């Protein structure tokens, strides 16, 4: 469908929603700009959504989005790990341009420069009420956080009107919720302290008191403070009244997301016709470790906690979509579903993820996984849905989360100010099969490059297999060249068979990344 330019007000362009399959409600007629909901999962693999071809793990609610919208077969995060991908999505800037864009500790300073244009800042200027509920993991403060005071340099300082978050990840201290600038439920009589350098005197750890690990035991890297029977990364002391209960996290975040929608739509105030459009970044924690789904989902997948956590997440997707439907908002809400990076089974805990995986393949037909330069590190489930606006289809267009800034800017009439983000709105709305021509991908500080149907992985020093997580890293002492249209599994290295294509890709990658093109071995002469 085509969308037409209606009015220019305050320098912003409003776009009509186009012809809907059902009559719009009065609230939708009043509000020309669509609501925007990004549903973002954590470590969900390309093969973890049943709409992507496997029937080993059912995800009916996510599948409903896929069947009713655009299911992209070439949808990417920018990075094979979480913090860099989230940075790119919110800023429209490649994470490898920022040397600090790596997996952050729970007490890291804010990674996003507050002077940058961000996705929520852009949308807020376009009249949106902006909110984030769920995982943040982009740093808070300036590196010396007092968790017992108002928290400065947080999501509210980069464009979000409302935030209800965890600071980092479920496996990192502090294990508390933060609403806007305050730790939720914190008592002044029991202050919270956090350290990633050394433990607090007298505080137990997973090593000194293994009997505290009543729910999960650590396999690697998670042996410091223990909370809720689960060992974590980092040390914390006090704040007992504020500590979360992992089993309730999905419900807590879901309810906060629903409440944000209510507030933005002015439902409680009884003034829906005065509602502002909303942007909600709903960042679920599943299926990141530790996987601790609510008891009502335990055992439902037959694959242990990881599979159960995915089923729980799928339920959350269904519930938030029911909320949109019940409030008459579905026909004026663009929903984008994706994941921050690829899958991993054993990521630090003994939780039967490996033992109970059965025939399920979290990466589908792709090679690698989280942390990997191979496709499964960054190619992720990627779906756009807009009831009555997007025609159901499967698209092979090359799209990336990096492009949300420019694409959504086009949707709401805001000017793009990012050098990396591209306007792919027609592709995201299913009106074009044309996506990006090239894309730079990152994993643990190393880069790969896709152009057209080819992917180039330069030579790097390091191990070909990350033994702790049992994932191929994509690291090799030789150049690797793959045609991923003809062979998704990346088993046939074409570097020697197609020397001209290899040279073309080298030159293109060097032009794209400049001095970041630093393969650590092999002849780099580009003739």
């Amino acid at each position: 469908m085509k969308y037409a330019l209606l009015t220019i007000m305050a320098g912003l362009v409003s776009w009509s929603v186009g012809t809907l399959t059902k009559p719009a409600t009065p609230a939708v007629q009043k509000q020309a700009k669509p609501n925007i909901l990004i549903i973002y999962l954590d470590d969900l693999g390309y093969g973890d959504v049943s709409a992507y071809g496997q029937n080993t793990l059912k995800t009916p609610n996510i599948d409903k989005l896929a069947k009713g919208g655009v299911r992209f077969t070439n949808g990417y995060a920018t990075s094979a790990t979480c913090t860099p991908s989230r940075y790119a999505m919110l800023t429209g800037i490649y994470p490898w341009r920022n040397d600090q864009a790596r997996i952050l500790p729970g007490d890291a300073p804010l990674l996003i420069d507050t002077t940058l244009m961000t996705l929520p800042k852009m949308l807020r200027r376009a009249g949106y009420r902006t909110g984030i509920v769920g995982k943040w993991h982009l740093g808070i403060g300036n590196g010396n956080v007092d968790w017992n005071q108002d928290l400065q340099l947080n999501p509210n300082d980069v464009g979000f009107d409302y935030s209800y978050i965890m600071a980092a990840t479920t496996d990192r201290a502090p294990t508390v919720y933060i609403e806007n600038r305050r730790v939720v439920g914190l008592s002044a009589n029991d202050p919270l302290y956090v350290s990633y350098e050394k433990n607090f005197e007298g505080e137990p750890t997973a090593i000194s008191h293994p009997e505290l690990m009543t729910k999960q035991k650590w396999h690697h890297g998670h042996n410091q403070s223990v909370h809720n029977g689960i060992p974590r990364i980092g040390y914390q002391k006090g704040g007992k009244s504020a500590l979360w209960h992992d089993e309730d996290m999905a419900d807590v975040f879901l309810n906060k997301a629903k409440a944000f929608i209510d507030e933005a739509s002015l439902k409680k105030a009884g003034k829906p016709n005065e509602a502002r459009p909303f942007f909600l970044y709903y960042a679920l924690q599943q299926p990141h470790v530790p996987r601790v789904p609510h008891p009502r989902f335990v055992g439902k997948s037959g694959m242990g906690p990881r599979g159960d956590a995915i089923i729980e997440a799928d339920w959350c997707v269904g519930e938030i979509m029911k909320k949109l439907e019940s409030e008459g908002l579905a026909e004026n809400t663009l929903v984008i579903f994706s994941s921050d990076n690829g899958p991993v089974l054993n990521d630090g805990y003994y939780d039967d993820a490996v033992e109970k995986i059965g025939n399920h393949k979290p990466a589908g037909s792709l090679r690698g996984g989280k942390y990997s330069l191979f496709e499964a590190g960054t190619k992720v489930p990627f779906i756009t849905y807009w009831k009555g606006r997007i025609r159901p289809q499967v698209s092979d267009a090359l799209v990336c989360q990096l492009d949300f800034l420019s694409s959504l800017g086009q949707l709401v009439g805001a000017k793009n100010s990012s050098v990396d983000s591209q306007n792919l709105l027609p592709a995201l709305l299913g009106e074009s099969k044309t996506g990006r021509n090239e894309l730079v991908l990152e994993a643990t500080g190393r880069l790969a490059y896709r152009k057209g149907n080819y992917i180039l992985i330069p030579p790097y020093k390091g191990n070909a297999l990350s033994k702790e997580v049992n994932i191929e890293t994509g690291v090799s002492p030789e150049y690797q060249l793959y045609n991923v249209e003809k062979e998704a599994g990346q088993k046939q290295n074409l570097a020697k068979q197609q020397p001209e294509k290899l040279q073309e890709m080298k030159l293109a990658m060097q032009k794209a990344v400049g001095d970041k093109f630093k393969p650590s071995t092999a002849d780099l002469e580009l003739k």
Side-chain angles (χ1 to χ4, degrees), residues 79-381:
S79 175
T81 53
C82 49
T83 296
S85 290
R86 293 163 195 267
Y87 176 85
M89 184 184 71
L90 291 179
T91 65
I93 299 172
Y94 275 123
W96 45 267
R97 296 193 189 279
N98 185 336
D99 291 337
Q100 301 304 311
R102 55 183 183 271
I103 301 175
L104 296 179
D107 62 349
L110 181 65
L111 180 62
I112 299 175
D113 189 323
T114 57
T115 64
L116 287 175
M117 178 56 67
T118 65
L119 182 57
K121 190 181 293 185
M122 175 194 73
L123 292 171
R124 185 165 66 182
R125 291 182 179 181
Y128 281 70
R129 175 160 175 77
T130 59
I132 172 175
V133 173
K135 175 178 173 176
W136 176 237
H137 208 185
L138 288 165
I140 290 175
N142 59 9
N144 186 23
V145 179
D146 183 347
W147 300 95
N148 306 286
Q149 304 296 325
D150 282 356
L151 301 176
Q152 305 302 321
L153 297 178
N154 75 347
N156 300 86
D157 297 296
V158 295
F160 287 105
D161 295 313
Y162 176 77
S163 62
Y164 193 99
I165 62 168
M166 69 172 90
T169 57
T170 44
D171 60 345
R172 284 174 172 81
T175 54
V176 296
Y177 299 118
I178 301 167
E179 187 168 29
N180 293 321
R181 300 194 185 279
R182 298 293 298 189
V183 172
V184 177
L186 189 61
S187 170
N189 297 325
D190 183 23
L192 173 67
Y193 301 98
V194 177
S195 175
Y196 275 74
E197 295 180 359
K198 63 179 181 179
N199 193 21
F200 299 97
E201 185 176 355
E203 290 296 304
T205 67
I207 294 176
S208 66
H209 290 72
E211 72 279 2
L212 296 177
M213 296 185 291
T214 57
K215 294 182 180 177
Q216 288 193 16
K217 292 179 170 60
W218 64 280
H219 177 271
H220 61 270
H222 297 76
N223 55 22
Q224 297 173 332
S225 287
V226 182
H227 162 58
N228 194 29
I230 302 166
R232 318 277 173 159
I233 300 172
Y235 303 102
Q236 63 184 27
K237 175 184 178 181
K240 300 298 183 184
S241 62
L243 300 181
W244 69 49
H245 192 245
D246 298 74
E247 291 86 342
D248 296 331
M249 184 173 287
D251 289 341
V252 169
F253 285 150
L254 176 62
N255 289 333
K256 290 297 178 181
K258 289 180 177 179
F260 174 81
I261 292 173
D262 281 341
E263 184 175 354
S265 62
L266 297 180
K267 175 187 175 184
K268 292 182 179 179
K271 300 178 180 179
N273 289 337
E274 298 178 17
R276 294 160 58 191
F278 68 79
F279 164 56
L280 175 59
Y281 172 30
Y282 181 30
L284 283 72
Q285 83 279 9
Q286 305 101 325
H288 194 283
V289 295
R291 296 131 182 171
V292 192
H294 191 276
R296 65 181 181 271
F297 298 100
V298 172
K300 297 298 184 181
S301 69
M303 297 180 190
R306 183 179 186 274
D308 297 344
I310 293 173
I311 288 179
E312 180 183 56
D314 181 74
W315 174 82
C316 290
V317 171
E319 291 300 300
I320 202 71
M321 294 307 298
K322 287 179 184 176
K323 178 66 176 177
L324 295 180
E325 289 283 358
S326 67
E327 302 301 328
L329 299 171
E331 292 173 337
N332 197 38
T333 302
L334 171 61
V335 180
I336 303 174
F337 175 91
S338 199
S339 175
D340 62 350
N341 50 249
V344 57
L345 294 179
N346 182 342
D347 205 16
Y349 295 92
Y350 289 103
D351 67 356
D352 289 333
V354 175
E355 292 79 2
K356 293 185 177 181
I357 192 64
N359 295 324
H360 180 64
K361 297 178 181 179
S365 61
L366 307 180
R367 188 176 182 183
K370 183 179 181 179
Y371 311 112
S372 177
L373 284 166
F374 287 130
E375 280 274 78
T378 50
K379 182 181 279 191
V380 290

Side-chain angles (χ1 to χ4, degrees), residues 35-40 49 51-52 61-76 89 317 321 324 330 333-339 380-401 403-404 407-408 411 424-433:
N35 305 305
I36 299 168
L37 170 63
I38 294 178
I39 304 174
Y40 207 58
V49 173
Y52 276 83
N61 294 298
I62 302 171
D63 290 358
K64 187 175 180 180
L65 296 180
K67 293 173 183 176
V70 184
R71 177 172 68 83
F72 289 95
T73 62
N74 285 306
Y76 286 83
M89 184 184 71
V317 171
M321 294 307 298
L324 295 180
T333 302
L334 171 61
V335 180
I336 303 174
F337 175 91
S338 199
S339 175
V380 290
F382 198 122
I383 300 164
T384 56
Y385 174 90
W386 186 346
K387 185 178 180 180
R389 176 68 170 83
I390 289 179
R391 180 176 58 83
Q393 60 192 278
V394 177
S395 175
D396 296 331
L398 178 58
V399 294
C400 182
Q401 297 160 11
D403 301 315
F404 291 167
S407 302
L408 297 179
L411 182 67
L424 300 182
L425 183 63
L428 295 180
L429 296 182
E431 297 172 349
S432 171
K433 296 293 185 180

